[in-house]
Amino acid sequence: SHHLSSVLTFDAPVPVMSLCDLCLSRVCWSLEQLCDSRADGSLRLRRAPSLPTETADQLLHKMTVEGLLNDRTVAIFRDGKAFRLRRAFIRGGPVSPGAFRLALCPHRLQELDASRLAEGHASGAEVLAALLTNPELTSSLQMLSLAGLSLRALRTLNLADTGLTDAALEEVCSLPLLESLDLSRGAVTSLAPLLGCRATLRSLTAHGLHGLRRLPVVMPAAPGVPSVLIRLSQLRHLDLSDDRFAADDGEGLILPALVSLDVSGRKAVTERVVRAFVKARPSLVFLGLLATGGSACEVLTSRENLKVTGDANETQVCEALRRYKERECFLHEALVLLYNLTVDLSTPRQDLLQLVLAGMRSHPSSLQVQLVASACVFSLTTQDLAEAMAPRLLAAAVDQLLLSMQSFPSHAQVQKNCILALCSDYILLEISFNRYLATKLVMTWLSSHDDPTLQKMAVAIISVLVAKLSTEETTQLGTDVSIIRQLLGVVQQRASLGVVDNTLRFALSALWNLTDGSPAAGRHFVQCQGLELYVEVLESYCSEPSVQQKVLGLLNNLAEVEELQGDLMEEDLLDYVLSVLGDPRVGVEVRYFAGGFLAQLSSRPKAWTLRQELLETIHQQLHLTVMTWSPAEKEMVSYRCFTPFLPLLRTSQPAGVQLWAAWALHLVCSHNAPHYSPMLQQEGVVLLLEALALHPGTHADVQALARLTLHLVGARQQAQMTPPGPPHKECSLGPSGD
């Protein structure tokens, strides 16, 4: 504006702060000229530059001290783009609740001084209510002064973790109707101000007041007790617990009206003191004794209506988990006790798992809580315990474990606890959770640890999870070359030892599933010298069907990718696979995948780069071998889609290639027609089978298999048009059939 311009053109030297102060003052007194009026009469700057936060704070402060702040002028701060307040000073200003909420509550304030607002305008309660309308503001506000405001109707006030000082406590205790006060973890050094509300105060929570000049003593009558607490005659609920597990300097407190007392963490509490205190108070309903050494007193078990937190039994520990969910130190103590109680648990306990999860949610960034809680989750869900629990509860447990793994990626024991808990067939296969995230997190852990036992578990988890992922998720994982490299490293390590164990099998299965329908994963596999490693494994484990099946299954996946077929054109490799295909001593579950690999590679004559005689031999051997296979007794493999089969079923293909593809389709349809029939229709496979069945040049063997498969598909379609019979139980396997 021209007003600011005229101020800034003065030639006389002026100190920087004085110039700033002068400019702010000029703006304050020129607001009517600089602003337009809204419909409600409030002001809005015509041209509002984006001011630095410090300048915006100074302008509001200047308006206040100049006596220019009111509902009409404070409205300029509704413009959040021009003004970003952090330290708002409106002490003594005549601001109404509505104007305060519209102008100041949208800002992410760090400090607010709203002391002694003009009488008849916003009260302290109204200011607090307005602040609570913006969650971002309540999370950013670090200092709040409401001194002198009208809170005369306030009965309950929670000032925990606010840094409450002695002066502020004096103000609070002047409230005439205050009944419940929480000043936990404040900075007060004396409880003397509480005498100001001794006639009304019924509940006092003073947990973790480490700044007190003298610790209050906590149990029954003895001379020399603190005069402040004695005189709070209306108290019914008192919490003097200490998260530093303090030792007290006395043992007396005369408050006969108490029905609830919490002294957890105070080491001087003895069973003798507890016994006398409880016997003197027949109306007592709660006693907090966790980490005191006094919770084993026999008098505590004789009172049915008395709730106790302590370490003497499971009931006390569970009460501690419920009561101290927000108190990190006590929660950790209770979780340690619970873990010791559940190490050898044989009965499913959903109630305990719920308590543990509640604690984990309350302290997601606490290492000590997540460490012990994850161990508790493992002990509560191990072996057969999980199967008796509600799936939704187990899903929530897995979600919390994954959050712990994300929050503490470098903490070995947290990761170990979570992996131990996840390594459950029931949880991995039956419970719904973010399997993609779980796979990524376990892979991350595996990449930096080589503990054999945990490596076995991690690889097993990855293998099961990958088989349950969607095609899109598997493809996305396959684009991460580090995952392929890591799993190949596991295969290399186990193969170099010459062992055949579950770690090797799980790693092979995971790679098989990762490369299923994922050209990117196949490329990474080849780039990481996986092909050379797999050729060695094929030869080294020639008598191990489970290994051969997984290796050949992955080679099938590679052969389906046209751009990778050139890498597979190795005569020694094809000769070896051809020998497996024709060996009657080898099971069909292995020869099937050998045939698929050869069928794919030999289905594109123009891409063939090896001897023509070998190509013809492959076609002949495929035909001869497939015709010797009996119908499989079980489903050896499952497919997510049949796109790779489409080229093999063309009428121009050699009979051996067609026959292998037709046998594969008949195999899966004979075991699970309800699942596969719709897929065959939707993906155009039925049309190709019909063409083969009708084409005069199709070999009779191929025609027969095509017709059998079409019959299975047709029978399924017919069944859908007739009343349903008994329910059909479908099995659900991953693409590797593992």
Side-chain angles (χ1 to χ4, degrees), residues 423 425 455-464 487 490-491 501-513 550 738:
C423 197
D425 286 341
Q455 182 192 64
K456 174 184 175 181
M457 291 184 180
V459 175
I461 291 170
I462 293 165
S463 176
V464 175
L487 289 171
V490 174
V491 174
D501 59 9
N502 284 335
T503 302
L504 175 63
R505 294 189 183 97
F506 283 131
L508 292 172
S509 292
L511 285 164
W512 184 1
N513 282 293
K550 292 171 173 57
D738 204 271

Side-chain angles (χ1 to χ4, degrees), residues 107-111 135-143:
H107 297 271
R108 288 180 60 87
L109 298 178
Q110 295 176 355
E111 298 180 7
E136 290 188 350
L137 169 57
T138 57
S139 66
S140 66
L141 193 62
Q142 301 172 16
M143 189 281 288

Side-chain angles (χ1 to χ4, degrees), residues 220 270-280 297-299:
T270 64
E271 290 189 21
R272 178 182 62 82
V273 171
V274 171
R275 187 180 301 108
F277 184 81
V278 173
K279 287 184 176 180
C297 184
E298 73 285 350
V299 72

Side-chain angles (χ1 to χ4, degrees), residues 309-494:
T309 60
D311 55 14
N313 53 53
E314 181 191 298
T315 302
Q316 292 183 0
V317 172
C318 290
E319 189 65 29
L321 289 170
R322 279 188 288 269
R323 295 260 180 175
Y324 301 137
K325 185 172 62 175
E326 302 301 327
R327 296 182 181 179
E328 180 183 346
C329 187
F330 288 167
L331 178 63
H332 172 259
E333 182 80 4
L335 286 169
V336 171
L337 294 169
L338 181 69
Y339 177 74
N340 292 331
L341 290 171
T342 58
V343 169
D344 298 318
L345 194 68
S346 58
T347 305
R349 293 292 302 274
Q350 291 195 146
D351 57 331
L352 299 184
L353 183 57
Q354 288 170 334
L355 290 173
V356 172
L357 298 182
M360 295 179 80
R361 293 188 195 101
S362 296
H363 299 277
S365 59
S366 169
L367 173 59
Q368 63 173 1
V369 168
Q370 298 298 319
L371 177 61
V372 185
S374 57
C376 288
V377 172
F378 168 60
S379 65
L380 288 167
T381 60
T382 188
Q383 297 178 354
D384 299 329
L385 298 178
E387 296 185 32
M389 294 187 177
R392 185 174 298 180
L393 179 61
L394 288 175
V398 175
D399 289 343
Q400 288 301 133
L401 292 174
L402 299 183
L403 283 174
S404 295
M405 294 183 75
Q406 286 180 288
S407 299
F408 303 100
S410 302
H411 197 280
Q413 192 61 48
V414 170
Q415 299 289 317
K416 178 179 179 179
N417 292 347
C418 295
I419 287 173
L420 286 169
L422 285 173
C423 197
S424 158
D425 286 341
Y426 179 74
I427 289 175
L428 294 175
L429 294 172
E430 304 298 333
I431 302 305
S432 176
F433 60 93
N434 190 338
R435 290 185 171 84
Y436 178 80
L437 174 61
T439 306
K440 293 280 287 185
L441 291 172
V442 177
M443 277 300 320
T444 299
W445 182 90
L446 182 63
S447 66
S448 55
H449 295 80
D450 55 6
D451 178 275
T453 302
L454 287 177
Q455 182 192 64
K456 174 184 175 181
M457 291 184 180
V459 175
I461 291 170
I462 293 165
S463 176
V464 175
L465 288 177
V466 169
K468 297 286 284 184
L469 296 179
S470 67
T471 303
E472 294 75 16
E473 290 171 328
T474 306
T475 301
Q476 193 171 350
L477 273 180
T479 61
D480 188 343
V481 66
S482 64
I483 292 178
I484 303 296
R485 184 181 295 115
Q486 183 64 32
L487 289 171
L488 282 172
V490 174
V491 174
Q492 172 73 59
Q493 177 196 55
R494 307 313 293 169

Side-chain angles (χ1 to χ4, degrees), residues 34 36 69 93 114 133-134 143 173 204 215 237 265 276 314 351 406 467 570 615 625 715 718 720 722 727 738:
L34 297 172
D36 294 324
L69 189 71
T133 61
N134 182 1
M143 189 281 288
C173 292
L204 173 63
L215 291 173
H237 308 278
E314 181 191 298
D351 57 331
Q406 286 180 288
E570 295 288 341
L615 180 62
T625 300
Q718 183 65 30
Q720 290 175 332
T722 59
D738 204 271

